Amino acid sequence: NDENEQELEEKFQLLQYWPRNIIILFGPPGAGKGTHGPKMVDMLGGIPQLSTGDMLRAAVAAQTEVGKQAQSIMKMGGLVSDEIVVKIIQDRMKDKDCKYGFILDGFPRTLQQAEALDTMLQQKGSSKVTKVIELQVPDSVLEERICGRWIHKASSRSYHIKYAPPKSMRMKVNNGSSSSIITDSMKDDITGESLIQRPDDTPTALVKRLTSYHEDTVPILTHYKPVVRTVNANQEMEGVWKEIVTAMKK
């Protein structure tokens, strides 16, 4: 609506003399991308945080040309190609809110995807990835983080039973001194809607995900080395955010 348009325009007035920010938010599952991404959006005047999963679903729902291609592949149980994912990003870049840049979350996941992204950005007005923020956390710390994580599906807001519980969370005492969460009490602070746990947020799935992360995605850091800024994400949230702010200014 007109009010949102005006708000976007006012935010972008602040950014018009800056280079276009194309930022990759990078890190293993559970590093804090879902927590700090929205704060980076605010810090950068409202440029969007783009999740390839969300964009893919939106393209299919809108029945765009590339969305139809992706839908037919997924119906047959196939994996959507890098070419199609890059095309979906390319289409999304045309929207007004991407005029001064965007934050990529969850892409690229492989060196080949990074190279395909670079090629597309160069073809579209000599843009390039301006910064990679790497959230670094030891593998040993991630299990507790991930297996305690709950998500509000509609907004992607992230909660944690130990570090950032929803206000509604209730516990029950089991036999002995142990306690467990009352699942029905896990509600989003803002909407009151139920939270979910992702099927791959389990110890077994995590081992596979971390193996994949180290083998396939860490080489991307070498590829983007001049623009990589590493943040110690194994500390209190306030400390992580301070390091991100410093990294963004470097």
Side-chain angles (χ1 to χ4, degrees):
N1 61 28
D2 291 345
E3 206 173 290
N4 287 345
E5 285 273 315
Q6 188 180 349
E7 193 181 322
L8 272 177
E9 202 54 57
E10 284 171 3
K11 282 182 174 180
F12 289 157
Q13 292 295 321
L14 302 169
L15 299 174
Q16 60 183 327
Y17 300 110
W18 294 13
R20 193 180 202 193
N21 281 296
I22 298 176
I23 296 160
I24 297 171
L25 185 54
F26 204 85
K33 299 186 291 296
T35 301
H36 297 290
K39 292 195 282 187
M40 290 171 66
V41 167
D42 289 342
M43 178 189 172
L44 293 166
I47 69 171
Q49 180 180 358
L50 304 183
S51 150
T52 47
D54 291 346
M55 286 187 287
L56 195 56
R57 285 185 285 275
V60 169
Q63 287 291 284
T64 63
E65 184 188 337
V66 72
K68 286 176 184 173
Q69 289 174 27
Q71 187 175 32
S72 64
I73 291 166
M74 289 189 291
K75 271 185 179 173
M76 293 186 293
L79 288 173
V80 178
S81 68
D82 294 350
E83 186 183 352
I84 287 178
V85 176
V86 169
K87 182 73 169 68
I88 285 172
I89 296 170
Q90 183 179 317
D91 286 353
R92 180 67 178 82
M93 280 171 61
K94 295 171 187 171
D95 291 351
K96 189 176 181 183
D97 61 347
C98 289
K99 184 176 179 183
Y100 294 101
F102 50 88
I103 299 165
L104 276 176
D105 175 4
F107 189 91
R109 289 178 187 270
T110 66
L111 190 54
Q112 289 78 8
Q113 289 175 350
E115 289 166 347
L117 175 67
D118 292 348
T119 301
M120 182 273 287
L121 291 174
Q122 284 161 9
Q123 289 168 349
K124 297 291 157 188
S126 301
S127 296
K128 63 180 181 178
V129 172
T130 49
K131 199 149 288 180
V132 176
I133 301 294
E134 183 207 3
L135 302 180
Q136 212 172 63
V137 185
D139 288 2
S140 56
V141 173
L142 293 170
E143 183 174 335
E144 182 184 46
R145 281 194 182 187
I146 287 208
C147 300
R149 184 164 67 177
W150 289 71
I151 308 289
H152 178 242
K153 195 171 182 182
S155 68
S156 297
R157 275 187 289 277
S158 186
Y159 297 87
H160 191 281
I161 58 172
K162 181 177 177 182
Y163 303 111
K167 292 171 186 169
S168 61
M169 187 175 90
R170 299 288 177 270
M171 307 292 289
K172 66 178 177 185
V173 179
N174 301 320
N175 295 333
S177 59
S178 68
S179 60
S180 59
I181 292 162
I182 300 171
T183 305
D184 289 348
S185 74
M186 300 297 279
K187 308 285 186 186
D188 178 47
D189 286 350
I190 294 171
T191 65
E193 293 168 352
S194 294
L195 302 178
I196 61 161
Q197 276 196 299
R198 291 177 180 151
D200 56 356
D201 282 356
T202 63
T204 311
L206 178 60
V207 172
K208 289 181 183 173
R209 291 169 74 191
L210 288 176
T211 301
S212 171
Y213 175 75
H214 292 303
E215 287 179 358
D216 298 333
T217 51
V218 170
I220 298 167
L221 296 173
T222 306
H223 176 71
Y224 287 121
K225 192 173 181 180
V227 295
V228 171
R229 303 291 179 268
T230 300
V231 168
N232 171 20
N234 185 26
Q235 58 178 312
E236 293 294 324
M237 278 200 280
E238 195 178 313
V240 178
W241 178 241
K242 279 183 181 173
E243 284 200 31
I244 290 173
V245 171
T246 303
M248 291 299 296
K249 291 175 180 175
K250 280 183 187 173

